[in-house]
Amino acid sequence: MRAKGHSSGAFRSFLCVVGFLLVPGFGIAGTTLTWTGGTDMNWFQASNWNPAQVPTNGDTVVVDATSSRNVLLTNQTALLASFSISNRTLTCSNWFARIQATNVHIRNLGKLALPPPFAVGTMSNRVWIVSTNLVVYPGGEIDADYNGYMVAQGPGKGSQSGSNNNGGGGYGGRGGDEAGGSGGPPYGSTNAPVHPGSGGGRWDSSPRSNGSGGGVILIGAVNALISGTVSA
C-alpha cells in the first residue's frame, strides 16, 4: 500500500489481515459473566465481573451499559464461547492482547480500540481477534486510526523540515513527497500487512489528522459479517 502525501505529513494506514482460524467448540456449558467494572478497567480482575470470577474457557462474556467503566485487555482471553460488547470500549493494550471466542459480536456503540500512538522502542499494540464467527453490527466499531507509530517515528517515517509541507509515512510503498520533505521508505507488505504504520513528517493540529501511523487490526475468523466500521 502506498501512503499518499499530505500537507501536514499526516496519513492513514489500513493494516488488516483476515485469516481463517477456528476456535474449538466446547463440550460443557460455561458461565455467563457480565462486566461491572466494580474495581477498575482490568479484564483479569475478578471483582470486575458478575459473578465475581475471571472469564475462563467456555464462558459467555457480556460487556454493555451495565457498567460505566470501559475495559482494558492486557493479554489473551480464555477460549470463550461468546464475547459481546455494546455501549462500551475495550482497549487492547499491547501486541499480545487477543480476544478468543467462538462467537464475537461487536454491537451498536461497542468498540475495540488501541492506546495512543507509540515511539520506536516502546511497546507496540494491535487489535487481535480469533473467532469462528465475527459480526460487527451497524454502530459497532473496530478502530485503530492513528494508533501506530507517532509522528516522525517508525521505519517508514516521513522527513520533516518544520514547514507545513512534509513527507508522508511509508509502508507497503514509499510515502508521498511534499515540497518540504521526502516520503518515508517502504517496508512491510501491501497484500498481508502486519506492522504498524509509520508517522508522517509533521504534527498536524487539526483533529484526528495528527501525522501518526495507522494501527494494526488482525482478524482470524471463519465467517465475518461487517456491517459496522473497521478502520486503521
Side-chain angles (χ1 to χ4, degrees):
M1 177 177 56
R2 184 176 179 83
K4 185 178 180 181
H6 187 279
S7 62
S8 65
F11 76 107
R12 297 175 60 201
S13 178
F14 190 90
L15 305 174
C16 180
V17 176
V18 177
F20 300 93
L21 302 178
L22 180 63
V23 175
F26 304 99
I28 59 174
T31 302
T32 297
L33 292 103
T34 301
W35 173 258
T36 65
T39 300
D40 53 28
M41 295 173 60
N42 182 9
W43 173 288
F44 298 101
Q45 173 63 47
S47 59
N48 287 327
W49 297 97
N50 181 25
Q53 60 191 62
V54 177
T56 190
N57 290 351
D59 285 348
T60 292
V61 167
V62 178
V63 178
D64 59 17
T66 300
S67 172
S68 60
R69 279 197 173 109
N70 293 318
V71 189
L72 183 66
L73 183 66
T74 58
N75 208 326
Q76 65 185 25
T77 69
L79 299 175
L80 306 172
S82 177
F83 168 80
S84 174
I85 185 169
S86 62
N87 295 283
R88 292 293 173 262
T89 296
L90 181 148
T91 298
C92 297
S93 71
N94 61 67
W95 195 253
F96 305 103
R98 177 173 67 191
I99 296 170
Q100 305 176 121
T102 301
N103 300 298
V104 173
H105 299 277
I106 304 173
R107 304 182 187 276
N108 184 43
L109 300 180
K111 183 177 181 179
L112 304 184
L114 292 174
F118 47 86
V120 173
T122 62
M123 174 62 75
S124 181
N125 47 59
R126 63 183 166 187
V127 175
W128 188 6
I129 302 169
V130 178
S131 68
T132 302
N133 304 300
L134 168 66
V135 182
V136 182
Y137 295 82
E141 188 175 4
I142 304 175
D143 179 18
D145 283 351
Y146 308 106
N147 294 133
Y149 287 107
M150 297 170 61
V151 62
Q153 294 279 322
K157 65 181 181 181
S159 65
Q160 59 187 102
S161 66
S163 70
N164 287 329
N165 298 300
N166 294 274
Y171 184 75
R174 188 170 177 273
D177 295 331
E178 289 287 354
S182 299
Y187 65 102
S189 168
T190 57
N191 298 324
V194 294
H195 305 95
S198 292
R202 182 179 182 274
W203 192 278
D204 188 330
S205 61
S206 60
R208 298 291 288 172
S209 298
N210 55 13
S212 302
V216 175
I217 299 172
L218 177 60
I219 298 172
V222 177
N223 305 298
L225 176 61
I226 311 297
S227 300
T229 301
V230 178
S231 183

